[in-house]
Amino acid sequence: MKILLLGARGQIGRSIQALSNTSYWPNDWQLYSWSREISDLSQPDVLIERIQELKPELIWNTAAYTQVDRAEEESALAYLINAQAVSEIAKHCAKANIPFVHYSTDYVYSGSGETPHLETEEPSPINEYGRSKLAGDLAIQQSGCEYLIFRTSWVFSEYGKNFVKTMYRLSKERPEISVVSDQVGSPSYAADIALYSLIAIKKALFQDAFPSGIYHLCNSDFVSWYDFARGILPNFPVKAIASRDFPTTAKRPANSRLSLKKISEVFDIVPRSWKAALLDCEKKLL
Ligand SMILES: NC(=O)c1ccc[n+]([C@@H]2O[C@H](COP(=O)([O-])OP(=O)(O)OC[C@H]3O[C@@H](n4cnc5c(N)ncnc54)[C@H](OP(=O)(O)O)[C@@H]3O)[C@@H](O)[C@H]2O)c1
């Protein structure tokens, strides 16, 4: 089976490539990993032509405009990549009758309340990044293709830029780090997201009716950014501050808790705690 991975240089993209060299990866799956140079989502027409030439049998998209603050000023580009290009890929998948696997975000929710969000909840994003990602989700749902949208949160890994690596860096540069304690969610290790996605895809392909839908997918156990920072740097001074004392260009939801009930019921996937995942990530980083 020909699998096309988009976003090959991102955190989840690189984790999927690493996974393709393990025994979890089916022997008869060939992975084609495309990074921005050969698949620029800001040029959807060129991208679709290339996809038509390759004729993949499943498209797994991890590419996205992920710069949350910059999206407030570059919303047109964020929409082009996160919504328009995604819409074109989904339409191609519908026409070619192949499944589309895609990632969404906790930032589609407003973040009100203190209970975990369910996939049935009406999204109401409070920033441009969230709005552009939601537009992508809706376009996939309307395209008529078979799809799995994994809505994840707070991704960290040994790759690229992320909170874990930032905490390590700041601990070398500063005597103390201040971190917001009033935003709560689930950190997600990219390697786990890749593996759980693969397990779900394999199960979906074997079902008589493809279980198209949105599925929350993150590591388990809710935590604030402050407590996550303390988990990363247990012996370093970390100070809790309120979001209002750490102004950012884009607003962030206070409640990013995602319920994992649906993915456990449909695919029998019960993600491990972010704490166990962090230990594995740290082994790769140190
Ligand atoms: N990171 C998070 O905390 C988080 C949270 C919730 C949901 N998600 C979602 O999870 C998915 C994967 O996230 P991630 O953490 O792996 O993101 P990431 O590390 O930022 O990777 C995103 C990738 O998209 C690529 N990209 C950006 N613009 C592109 C374009 N115009 N054409 C082609 N590729 C382009 C980037 O390429 P370059 O390497 O060339 O820049 C990068 O490799 C995304 O859908 C994201 O919205 C992420």
Side-chain angles (χ1 to χ4, degrees), residues 207-218:
Q207 294 191 11
D208 290 340
F210 194 89
S212 291
I214 293 176
Y215 298 89
H216 291 162
L217 177 55
C218 51

Side-chain angles (χ1 to χ4, degrees), residues 208-251:
D208 290 340
F210 194 89
S212 291
I214 293 176
Y215 298 89
H216 291 162
L217 177 55
C218 51
N219 283 113
S220 57
D221 290 343
F222 303 126
V223 72
S224 69
W225 285 113
Y226 164 71
D227 285 321
F228 187 30
R230 292 204 328 158
I232 299 162
L233 301 170
N235 302 312
F236 189 84
V238 181
K239 188 178 149 199
I241 56 166
S243 297
R244 66 172 178 280
D245 297 325
F246 187 74
T248 50
T249 312
K251 279 194 267 173

Side-chain angles (χ1 to χ4, degrees), residues 7 9-13 36 39-42 62-66 81 103-106 129 133 152-155:
R9 258 207 319 264
Q11 297 189 81
I12 298 180
R36 189 195 291 256
S39 59
D40 188 346
L41 270 71
S42 67
T62 66
Y65 182 104
T66 54
I81 294 167
Y103 293 91
S104 178
T105 169
D106 53 314
Y129 166 71
K133 290 291 291 180
T152 189
S153 58
W154 299 18
V155 179

Side-chain angles (χ1 to χ4, degrees), residues 4-276:
L4 173 58
L5 170 68
L6 301 174
R9 258 207 319 264
Q11 297 189 81
I12 298 180
R14 289 176 72 173
S15 302
I16 292 169
Q17 290 177 83
L19 188 62
S20 73
N21 296 316
T22 69
S23 58
Y24 290 108
W25 195 262
N27 284 332
D28 57 347
W29 283 19
Q30 298 94 43
L31 184 66
Y32 293 78
S33 301
W34 287 5
S35 56
R36 189 195 291 256
E37 288 69 31
I38 38 172
S39 59
D40 188 346
L41 270 71
S42 67
Q43 294 182 34
D45 295 351
V46 181
L47 173 66
I48 297 300
E49 263 176 42
R50 297 227 162 113
I51 292 175
Q52 282 166 343
E53 277 164 31
L54 180 72
K55 298 190 177 50
E57 292 162 279
L58 182 145
I59 299 180
W60 195 340
N61 179 36
T62 66
Y65 182 104
T66 54
Q67 298 179 74
V68 178
D69 288 314
R70 237 163 94 180
E72 296 297 306
E73 275 106 47
E74 286 188 346
S75 65
L77 184 59
Y79 271 84
L80 178 57
I81 294 167
N82 292 345
Q84 267 166 263
V86 167
S87 172
E88 292 308 316
I89 300 167
K91 283 188 213 153
H92 169 84
C93 290
K95 228 193 252 171
N97 199 20
I98 60 168
F100 185 27
V101 180
H102 180 74
Y103 293 91
S104 178
T105 169
D106 53 314
Y107 282 15
V108 300
Y109 300 114
S110 71
S112 62
E114 292 194 344
T115 54
H117 299 285
L118 294 169
E119 290 86 343
T120 46
E121 183 177 324
E122 193 62 43
S124 178
I126 56 172
N127 59 40
E128 286 298 313
Y129 166 71
R131 282 188 275 274
S132 69
K133 290 291 291 180
L134 177 61
D137 295 358
L138 295 173
I140 295 171
Q141 291 175 296
Q142 285 157 11
S143 71
C145 73
E146 291 179 336
Y147 67 91
L148 297 174
I149 299 175
F150 296 117
R151 221 166 243 173
T152 189
S153 58
W154 299 18
V155 179
F156 68 95
S157 69
E158 52 274 32
Y159 309 118
K161 280 190 195 159
N162 58 65
F163 186 77
V164 173
K165 290 175 79 177
T166 302
M167 288 300 110
Y168 282 136
R169 180 175 53 78
L170 292 180
S171 71
K172 292 189 186 95
E173 295 171 6
R174 296 181 188 179
E176 183 187 67
I177 307 173
S178 299
V179 182
V180 297
S181 59
D182 52 4
Q183 293 170 27
V184 177
S186 291
S188 302
Y189 184 32
D192 284 3
I193 299 304
L195 176 59
Y196 296 136
S197 303
L198 175 64
I199 293 170
I201 293 168
K202 287 201 273 189
K203 288 186 178 173
L205 291 172
F206 274 103
Q207 294 191 11
D208 290 340
F210 194 89
S212 291
I214 293 176
Y215 298 89
H216 291 162
L217 177 55
C218 51
N219 283 113
S220 57
D221 290 343
F222 303 126
V223 72
S224 69
W225 285 113
Y226 164 71
D227 285 321
F228 187 30
R230 292 204 328 158
I232 299 162
L233 301 170
N235 302 312
F236 189 84
V238 181
K239 188 178 149 199
I241 56 166
S243 297
R244 66 172 178 280
D245 297 325
F246 187 74
T248 50
T249 312
K251 279 194 267 173
R252 264 78 170 165
N255 176 20
S256 276
R257 297 172 184 87
L258 300 179
S259 164
L260 291 168
K261 197 164 173 272
K262 183 176 175 188
I263 200 151
S264 76
E265 282 174 1
V266 177
F267 294 115
D268 203 17
I269 290 169
V270 181
R272 64 176 172 162
S273 163
W274 62 264
K275 290 175 201 152

